[in-house]
Structure formats: structure tokens, C-alpha cells
Amino acid sequence: MNSFQPGESSSHPFREPASLPPSIPKVNEVGATSAPLKSAAFFIGAYCKEFNEDFMLCKSENREPAHCLKEGRRVTRCAIDLISKMRENCLQQFEEHWNCLEMNNQEYAPCRKPERVLNKCMFEKLGLVKTIPGTPPGQAPIHQVENPLYGRMQK
């Protein structure tokens, strides 16, 4: 027996039924999909380090979601600021890298060439360096290895 139920659609935009209290500062959404966020992830980690650490300390103090809204909004504002700076200074390199990620199932390995160009631009224009946490000392990070052992798999 098949029971089809049509989905509901509305011509009105979604409205949050319970608005936030005035004590919580307003902030816009980042406005980026997963590929641009993944492309910018290590730079966001470096650029917004203090805000991220404050947020994580707050979350370790209290797991109540409303407890750390201010800190979370500071992280969001910082990420918005960095992505807008990336678009102003390294737009072409940023788009090439995140489009590569988009076309390659969000995998970094096939996108190392545009990643190197983006990393160079970010260092030259904004002074940010991509660092991967947990890289063994004295060993080149994977994004700097010229001839990696593993390549793309044949599809």
C-alpha cells in the first residue's frame, strides 16, 4: 500500500518563531557553501584562533547551547571578515581552489596545485600561512610535498 503525501510549500520566507533576546548580538550568516569553507578552513583557524579558543573554553565550561552564543557569533564574524578579505585579495586563486574541491568530492589531494597558488597569495597579501596541526616536526606538511607517494585513484 502506497501513501503519498505532498510536501508543504509556502511563498513566504521562513521566520524563526522565537527571536533571540536583545542581549545576544546580531550577526550575518557566513554565506558560503562547504567547498569555500573547506578551502578557507586552515586560514580561518589561524586568523580566528583567539575567538575559536574562547569559544571552545566557553563550551568546556558549560554545554548549554545558549551559554556561548556571544563567543560563537564572534567566531562567525571573524570568519566572515576573513572570507571577504580573501575575496578582495585572492579571488581568482580562492575560486580556483574551491571549484577544484567542489569538482573532486571535497578531497584535497587532487587540488594541491591550486592550493599552492592560494597559499602563496594568502601569504603575500594577508601574511597568513597554512599550518596543519599534528604535522610531525622536521617533516614537510602534506600540502608542501612536491611528489607525494599517493596520487589520484583511477575512476
Side-chain angles (χ1 to χ4, degrees), residues 48 51-52 55 70-80:
C48 303
F51 298 114
N52 286 329
F55 178 74
K70 285 184 182 179
E71 290 81 0
R73 289 176 183 250
R74 288 184 189 125
V75 172
T76 303
R77 280 195 198 101
C78 183
I80 291 170

Side-chain angles (χ1 to χ4, degrees), residues 26-38:
K26 304 279 186 248
V27 68
N28 293 330
E29 295 292 324
V30 174
T33 59
S34 59
L37 286 174
K38 187 166 184 176

Side-chain angles (χ1 to χ4, degrees), residues 7-140:
E8 290 186 33
S9 65
S10 173
S11 61
H12 304 291
F14 175 76
R15 289 205 181 244
E16 186 66 40
S19 60
L20 293 172
S23 63
I24 298 171
K26 304 279 186 248
V27 68
N28 293 330
E29 295 292 324
V30 174
T33 59
S34 59
L37 286 174
K38 187 166 184 176
S39 177
F42 289 101
F43 298 115
I44 291 172
Y47 187 75
C48 303
K49 184 176 182 175
E50 290 120 22
F51 298 114
N52 286 329
E53 287 174 349
D54 286 346
F55 178 74
M56 295 308 291
L57 283 171
C58 180
K59 292 301 281 182
S60 69
E61 291 171 4
N62 188 341
R63 300 297 291 175
E64 176 70 29
H67 181 70
C68 300
L69 284 176
K70 285 184 182 179
E71 290 81 0
R73 289 176 183 250
R74 288 184 189 125
V75 172
T76 303
R77 280 195 198 101
C78 183
I80 291 170
D81 182 45
L82 177 66
I83 289 176
S84 64
K85 286 181 180 180
M86 288 177 76
R87 288 181 179 147
E88 290 170 9
N89 294 292
C90 301
L91 178 64
Q92 180 183 357
Q93 297 88 344
F94 182 44
E95 283 186 350
E96 285 177 12
H97 186 242
W98 73 256
N99 280 325
C100 181
L101 289 171
E102 188 76 30
M103 299 302 293
N104 289 288
N105 200 27
Q106 308 285 336
E107 293 183 22
Y108 282 116
C111 301
R112 293 295 182 205
K113 286 182 183 178
E115 181 181 356
R116 285 187 184 105
V117 176
L118 175 63
N119 291 346
K120 183 179 179 189
C121 180
M122 291 295 289
F123 178 71
E124 290 173 353
K125 305 262 176 95
L126 299 174
L128 293 174
V129 178
K130 178 178 178 176
T131 55
I132 299 177
T135 302
Q139 188 176 1

